[in-house]
Amino acid sequence: MAEQLEVKELDQVVVRFSGDSGDGMQLAGNIFSTVSATVGNGISTFPDYPADIRAPQGSLTGVSGFQVHIGAGQVYTPGDKCDVLVAMNAAALKTQYRYAKPGATIIIDTDSFGPKDLEKAQFKTQDYLGEMGIDPDRVIQCPLTTMVKQVLAPPSAPEGATTDSSKNGKTKEAPSGAVGGASGMDMKSVLKCRNMFALGLVCWLFDRDLNLVANFLREKFAKKPAIAEANIRVIQAGYDYGHNTHSSTVNVYRVESKVKVPGRYMDITGNKATAYGLIAAAERAGLKLYLGSYPITPATDILHELSKHKSLGVITVQCEDEISGCASALGASFAGALGVTSTSGPGICLKSEAMNLGVIMELPLVVIDVQRGGPATGLPTKSEQTDLLQVLFGRNGESPMPVIAALSPTDCFDAAFQACKMALEHMTPVVLLTDAFVANGSGAFRLPDISKLDTINPPYVPEELRGQWTPYMRTENGARYWAVPGREGFTHILGGLEKDSQTGAISTNPENHDLMTRLRQQKIANIVVPDLEVEGDAADADLLIVGFGSTYGHLHAAMDELRSAGHKVALAQFKYLNPLPKNTAEVLSKYKKVVVAEQNMGQLAAYLRMKVDNFTPAQFNQVKGQPFVVEELTEYFKTLI
């Protein structure tokens, strides 16, 4: 065991939990981030897990990680590298150590570093720390598996060192209701609690209130109280192990919230925020919400979340394929509901025909594309921004469609709400772009007052048009009037063949087709979106950074670092991609040097060159399936300055 372990007091800190896919790293990380958000910390998380359903235990390909960045103020990214690395086995240490800062604190389970474990992780010697160049004084080496077995053993067996001491030397009470004695769990279930011991160690290191953790577990395992109490007991043991072993030589990390805005907060993932935004929009519009979806990583959690809210009038259908998911949502819209379908890039390919049908029928439809690594099956659990041109242009004919890109996990709520408002008020399909990073990542979300959200006013056909209304009569903003089936006097037929603008009958007239094409295009162009905002040194920047969607946090952090070093830098991040903000050309033409940074091979840069005359930006492009690294961004941007 290390004689001395240096732990710094910081305004922000990054923790990375890693282990086998079955080791519960996502749960441990989620609990720690939830507790941090509860006490007012800014948080940003990044789950990083393999595509394998269950890789061989202890293998390099089966390592799952969860990184959380907590800060005293606003946090923009999950962090480039971690201050604390939890490695539950040899493979986790081997693959995840590259994400640790020099001098990072490392917590390992020595019971998972036996000869066979080291062989699976492709270590060449038994001195795994020396082989990787890790200073043993930075490592908390804990026989974690043995300790968990002792904690949950029957009364006749030794329970290990689980004394109730606190850092100030006084007796620390265990969270109320913690079990004692026999856990009643079989060995397989006992071993599943190893993640909670590691979490207890981390909670000790950050002086977290274990009662907050206990409340979380009791709520999560409300139907299995014995499981909850066993896990609480293990967390307490991990906390006490940290104190009893290191309390005389180790300080704790303290990350106190500097600014606390009153309100109710929750740690929310992007997918859950998207689901809540859809529900809120349906409530404000006074409509039923219908989701037609087919399970696909990383979008499936939207279906799972919405299926829990039948009491709010939400209807979810897990369809037999992507095509029927989109087509059924379009049918729900025709019937007068808010129709939504969710998928990822491969599903957009399949849904494109039904999306195109929505364009020519001019029905409201929200299509959620949670982007992942491609092409084809590609990297199902990794993140990219490679679907931009597909959702802008990937349909036959002139098929204009609004596109919105969420900026962060918490922004997914507003982005989903605005996508629904746009679809309903302009009678058009709308694409909402998120990606695996923001969908699975999380942030501290302040629950909004739904009564203060924007109103949503679909263009229902007015009663005075009874008897003279035809399906493609339009409002002042170019949207066609919406007649919900069953309303007497407004019977009509829609379909995929071109219709006459006056009568709604099938038409092959050349002039009519040209007119309808232009009307559909103009309807989208008429949509008013917020101006493009410039942050940082907006007035006199030597370099303007441009991005879209989920890269906002990393680009903002890069801008902040460059500005703190004395450089004049600004950032313009696109949330609305079609139509573009009216001031787009003005902003992009104002600066001598512009760089477009995106997680693809240059799709936004190409699109902007189409829309803005004489626009020739520098480009930063990566397609690694991982979020940007702020350090890499700043180094490249410095070369441009």
Side-chain angles (χ1 to χ4, degrees), residues 535-598:
E535 300 181 72
D537 299 304
D540 57 351
D542 295 321
L543 176 68
L544 175 69
I545 304 168
V546 175
F548 79 95
S550 64
T551 57
Y552 172 72
H554 292 81
L555 297 181
H556 198 291
M559 176 190 71
D560 288 344
E561 287 197 14
L562 290 169
R563 294 182 71 205
S564 65
H567 299 290
K568 294 283 188 178
V569 183
L571 169 65
Q573 191 80 2
F574 283 93
K575 178 174 180 176
Y576 296 90
L577 293 155
N578 190 36
L580 287 167
K582 299 295 185 185
N583 67 334
T584 295
E586 176 187 349
V587 169
L588 298 183
S589 302
K590 178 180 177 180
Y591 302 91
K592 291 183 179 180
K593 294 182 180 179
V594 180
V595 58
V596 179
E598 48 189 321

Side-chain angles (χ1 to χ4, degrees), residues 7 122 134 171 179 183 231 241 321 343 438 464 556 605 618 635:
V7 182
Q122 299 178 14
I134 300 174
T171 300
V179 300
S183 65
N231 278 284
Y241 176 86
D321 54 39
T343 188
V438 295
E464 54 266 28
H556 198 291
E635 289 303 313

Side-chain angles (χ1 to χ4, degrees), residues 340-351:
V340 181
T341 188
S342 57
T343 188
S344 188
I348 293 291
C349 297
L350 294 166
K351 293 180 190 292

Side-chain angles (χ1 to χ4, degrees), residues 30-51:
N30 180 254
I31 294 174
F32 184 70
S33 60
T34 298
V35 171
S36 298
T38 301
V39 298
N41 290 143
I43 66 167
S44 177
T45 71
F46 174 51
D48 188 14
Y49 52 92

Side-chain angles (χ1 to χ4, degrees), residues 193-513:
C193 296
R194 294 167 63 245
N195 60 333
M196 294 296 104
F197 194 98
L199 177 60
L201 262 172
V202 174
C203 286
W204 159 76
L205 198 58
F206 290 89
D207 197 25
R208 291 306 187 211
D209 184 352
L210 294 193
N211 280 298
L212 295 175
V213 182
N215 291 339
F216 180 98
L217 287 169
R218 290 190 180 110
E219 182 177 345
K220 180 174 179 62
F221 296 105
K223 296 181 179 180
K224 299 179 180 179
I227 299 295
E229 301 308 327
N231 278 284
I232 292 169
R233 181 176 173 83
V234 172
I235 288 173
Q236 180 69 57
Y239 189 103
D240 293 337
Y241 176 86
H243 167 74
N244 294 337
T245 310
H246 299 283
S247 61
S248 63
T249 57
V250 178
N251 297 317
V252 296
Y253 289 108
R254 296 186 184 275
V255 185
E256 296 291 341
S257 178
K258 293 180 179 178
V259 180
K260 295 185 178 180
V261 179
R264 297 179 61 194
Y265 287 82
M266 65 182 297
D267 174 26
I268 196 170
T269 65
N271 275 339
K272 180 175 284 190
T274 298
Y276 287 2
L278 298 173
I279 294 171
E283 289 282 330
R284 291 298 277 166
L287 297 175
K288 292 279 190 179
L289 172 62
Y290 173 92
L291 177 77
S293 186
Y294 181 76
I296 183 172
T297 302
T300 308
D301 284 340
I302 298 172
L303 171 61
H304 289 168
E305 182 61 36
L306 288 177
S307 67
K308 302 174 184 177
H309 299 289
K310 295 180 177 65
S311 62
L312 297 176
V314 178
I315 303 167
T316 56
V317 177
Q318 180 175 318
C319 299
E320 64 268 27
D321 54 39
E322 296 282 6
I323 299 170
S324 59
C326 190
S328 67
L330 194 61
S333 289
F334 178 76
L338 170 55
V340 181
T341 188
S342 57
T343 188
S344 188
I348 293 291
C349 297
L350 294 166
K351 293 180 190 292
S352 61
E353 184 178 9
M355 291 166 65
N356 228 14
L357 183 60
V359 170
I360 199 166
M361 294 172 72
E362 299 191 51
L363 283 170
L365 173 70
V366 175
V367 181
I368 301 167
D369 178 4
V370 186
Q371 300 169 96
R372 71 187 206 184
T377 308
L379 304 173
T381 62
K382 306 303 179 183
S383 186
E384 288 180 5
Q385 292 184 304
T386 44
D387 296 349
L388 177 59
L389 294 182
Q390 177 179 218
V391 298
L392 285 169
F393 305 115
R395 297 168 294 279
N396 66 292
E398 292 291 338
S399 186
M401 195 175 292
V403 177
I404 300 175
L407 305 180
S408 68
T410 55
D411 185 59
C412 286
F413 177 90
D414 180 70
F417 185 92
Q418 295 301 329
C420 294
K421 178 178 171 67
M422 196 176 287
L424 289 167
E425 294 187 341
H426 297 272
M427 297 296 288
T428 178
V430 176
V431 176
L432 170 59
L433 285 176
T434 69
D435 56 42
F437 169 62
V438 295
N440 293 322
S442 66
F445 178 59
R446 185 169 181 263
L447 274 64
D449 182 346
I450 193 169
S451 66
K452 296 181 180 179
L453 297 176
D454 292 345
T455 58
I456 298 178
N457 301 302
Y460 295 115
V461 58
E463 188 64 28
E464 54 266 28
L465 290 181
R466 180 192 295 271
Q468 52 182 312
W469 174 79
T470 58
Y472 290 95
M473 292 179 67
R474 299 179 184 275
T475 66
E476 291 183 359
N477 69 5
R480 77 173 190 87
Y481 285 112
W482 193 10
V484 177
R487 190 173 167 192
E488 187 177 350
F490 294 92
T491 303
H492 63 287
I493 297 174
L494 301 177
L497 291 172
E498 186 63 279
K499 303 297 192 297
D500 186 274
S501 64
Q502 297 297 318
T503 67
I506 294 173
S507 172
T508 58
N509 181 279
E511 285 72 24
N512 177 75
H513 178 56

Side-chain angles (χ1 to χ4, degrees), residues 17-29 48-66 88-89 91-92 109 112 144-145 148 187-196 198 221 231:
F17 297 84
S18 61
D20 268 331
S21 292
D23 283 342
M25 295 296 94
Q26 309 297 320
L27 176 59
D48 188 14
Y49 52 92
D52 310 53
I53 294 175
R54 181 60 60 87
Q57 188 174 14
S59 64
L60 295 174
T61 59
V63 175
S64 175
F66 187 102
M88 298 293 284
N89 60 20
D109 177 9
S112 297
L144 196 148
T145 300
V148 171
M187 185 53 62
K188 183 178 180 180
S189 299
V190 166
L191 294 178
K192 286 183 178 180
C193 296
R194 294 167 63 245
N195 60 333
M196 294 296 104
F221 296 105
N231 278 284

